[in-house]
Amino acid sequence: MYYDVIMAGFGGQGIQMISQIVALAAIRRGLNVTYLPSYGVEKRGGRTNVTLVIADEEIGSMVTNHPKCVIAMDTIAVDKYRDQVAPKGLLIANASLVPEAMLDRGDIVPLALRCNEEALALGSVKLSNMIALGAFLKKSGILGFDDVEAVMDEVTPERLKNTIPANLEAIRRGIEIAANGAS
Amino acid sequence: MTEKKLTKGNIALAEGAIQAGCRFYFGYPITPQNDIPEYLARNLPKHGGTFIPAESEIASINMVMGAAASGKRAMTSSSGPGISLMQEGISYLAGSEMPAVIVNIMRCGPGLGGIAPTQGDYNQAVHGGGHGDYRNIVLAPGSVQEMFDLTIKAFELADRYRNPAMIIADAMIGQFQEPCRLTPEKPVEFPEKPWALTGRRGREPRLLKSLYLGDYEQEEHNLFLKQKYDEIQEKEVMVEMQHLDDAELVIIAFGTPARVAKTAIAMAREEGLKVGLIRPITLFPFPSQQILEHSRRVGKVLVVEMNTGQMVRDVRIAAHKDAEISFYGRPGGGFPFPDDVLAEIKKALGGGAR
């Protein structure tokens, strides 16, 4: 088993958070993981991206330019990574910020999610990353809801522990939307 | 078995230093190694250690020298220009046989350069850097786990041979995260230090120096150091070797390029191309013997580095005279993707692949 995904957006969208969740859930499943964050000026509003490689064998390269999946939370992320998605790969995009026409490449599977609206419907726009995470779980099939639920406590900082139930609900919603095709 | 934690390379290195018994850290901030002083500033005092943000890198290395002279385990870390400023001190450490660990999470150069990953400081670390006829012990981690384990190893080797040990890593190794066991694999070695300056009350005075003015005194000292370096070369080589049995080409790389090469080798093998890997873990001592043996048998060698060709010169010296050696380098913050290395594999195998 080998899976690579690039998650990208702007600082504050929770890209690092969902990457941490996936990485830790994979480790707890006994898988190998490499987590390569972008570095440079990382602050709210700046660019942020993570390359995750997950495998049951030794991981060589921690960089990839043909990921099986890209999660793009804004237009700049789609612009930068759409053409890198491996053929037949998956492009999950935040359609609240990205025009759907941008997602079409012909040989990949695009999934447009209105992450912000879905998150707002659950009470906070801050849950938009969890909507995307849920869709990723469903579409990639590499980890289940239970795997993620089991590590939520560990990855959530003390001051944010009270957000765990809402986050889990948003992940469930993401799974549901992906199961139905889009939102 | 201890649970593995998702850990950043630089943090694994800093925690490795604490667990190796390092109780003195002196440093001056510079990206991309700032996680190291940040972590140690918070955690070293909890272990009774001393963290001093020095006024410069020159001060840092001289503070390291002071702590090392007293027999304590001491470390500094920096990058690019900061390491250049430390070279005089490193030469003094080598000359007066004081053990210490110096970490270089490399940044692009020359000059102030950039913070992207690079391996431009291989020559500086392995072939001197400071003045005089000396060698550093040089370790090159290729994973987060090795950032932890090799830091402990660096302190042990430095003490065992009374010699500065350097750890060099590109910024990718420093800043990416992997599951890591943050406990030592085996009990950490603490050799006796009958030379340390601990206060002479009740014993004969001791002297640590690197000034030899008497007739042939300096030559004698240099020959003694040479003997020590020969012993290190003989006993301490660490190297990872993969898929060499049937290989028709061997890639030689360390750090991030070795990781990328592993993926490229898997891709090549899927296409029926027989490629193996030699990954030097110690850069001094260099795995010359292994390179000689395998280059003689395999015949073709591809060296991959994130510079314009530094380790490749040592490979040329070590390799069998008939080996065909090619080089692929991405300098100044560029790094190879697996496809890039695969393309170089095909080029190197050329029409000669059978």
Side-chain angles (χ1 to χ4, degrees), chain B residues 54-352:
Chain B
E55 70 270 33
S56 73
E57 289 85 351
I58 296 174
S60 306
I61 194 70
N62 284 287
M63 290 178 190
V64 164
M65 204 185 306
S70 73
K72 305 296 185 200
R73 284 190 165 168
M75 180 172 96
T76 183
S77 60
S78 188
S79 186
I83 297 289
S84 294
L85 283 170
M86 292 182 189
Q87 292 304 329
E88 183 195 31
I90 296 172
S91 169
Y92 273 65
L93 285 164
S96 45
E97 292 198 85
M98 287 192 242
V101 172
I102 300 109
V103 177
N104 181 4
I105 308 299
M106 294 176 273
R107 58 186 275 151
C108 320
L112 193 51
I115 59 171
T118 179
Q119 297 180 319
D121 301 346
Y122 174 95
N123 281 341
Q124 184 193 47
V126 174
H127 296 297
H131 60 281
D133 205 352
Y134 77 98
R135 309 302 294 262
N136 296 313
I137 294 165
V138 185
L139 305 175
S143 66
V144 173
Q145 189 64 60
E146 282 190 353
M147 286 290 262
F148 179 83
D149 290 337
L150 292 181
T151 301
I152 295 173
K153 184 87 186 174
F155 278 101
E156 289 175 341
L157 290 176
D159 276 357
R160 193 180 307 156
Y161 293 101
R162 292 183 57 184
N163 201 71
M166 283 195 84
I167 298 170
I168 65 171
D170 59 78
M172 206 101 86
I173 298 289
Q175 308 209 349
F176 88 128
Q177 301 182 21
E178 277 187 311
C180 182
R181 157 187 49 72
L182 289 168
T183 49
E185 247 184 324
K186 50 184 176 39
V188 178
E189 291 169 28
F190 290 95
E192 292 293 313
K193 294 184 176 177
W195 47 266
L197 309 185
T198 53
R200 69 159 291 281
R201 189 181 296 255
R203 62 160 169 77
E204 287 302 300
R206 294 168 180 170
L207 177 63
L208 294 169
K209 64 163 189 170
S210 62
L211 177 70
Y212 297 94
L213 295 177
D215 284 353
Y216 301 111
E217 249 185 18
Q218 182 70 54
E219 184 182 29
E220 204 176 300
H221 181 57
N222 281 130
L223 289 172
F224 166 76
L225 292 179
K226 166 75 163 71
Q227 228 171 31
K228 187 165 82 174
Y229 303 145
D230 288 347
E231 188 186 344
I232 294 171
Q233 180 68 53
E234 192 186 323
K235 291 184 181 165
E236 306 297 348
V237 170
M238 293 172 75
V239 61
E240 181 188 9
M241 297 190 281
Q242 282 189 350
H243 308 299
L244 289 171
D245 289 349
D246 64 345
E248 291 171 2
L249 170 74
V250 54
I251 295 184
I252 304 180
F254 68 99
T256 289
R259 296 287 299 247
V260 174
K262 282 182 182 179
T263 299
I265 288 168
M267 289 158 76
R269 283 191 168 262
E270 267 182 26
E271 295 183 28
L273 303 172
K274 292 172 181 155
V275 187
L277 175 74
I278 295 180
R279 177 175 72 93
I281 299 171
T282 51
L283 299 178
F284 178 79
F286 197 62
S288 303
Q289 195 54 41
Q290 288 81 352
I291 290 172
L292 174 64
E293 279 166 25
H294 291 284
S295 63
R296 178 195 290 132
R297 202 173 43 78
V298 175
K300 288 183 175 173
V301 176
L302 169 63
V303 178
V304 184
E305 296 181 70
M306 295 195 311
N307 56 44
T308 53
Q310 299 196 9
M311 180 178 72
V312 65
R313 294 166 69 187
D314 288 328
V315 170
R316 288 206 176 100
I317 292 167
H320 189 260
K321 63 182 172 50
D322 296 331
E324 247 178 72
I325 298 165
S326 48
F327 173 73
Y328 176 54
R330 293 296 302 272
F335 56 83
F337 283 103
D339 324 10
D340 301 326
V341 177
L342 181 62
E344 293 299 318
I345 287 172
K346 289 176 179 170
K347 223 189 281 176
L349 282 170

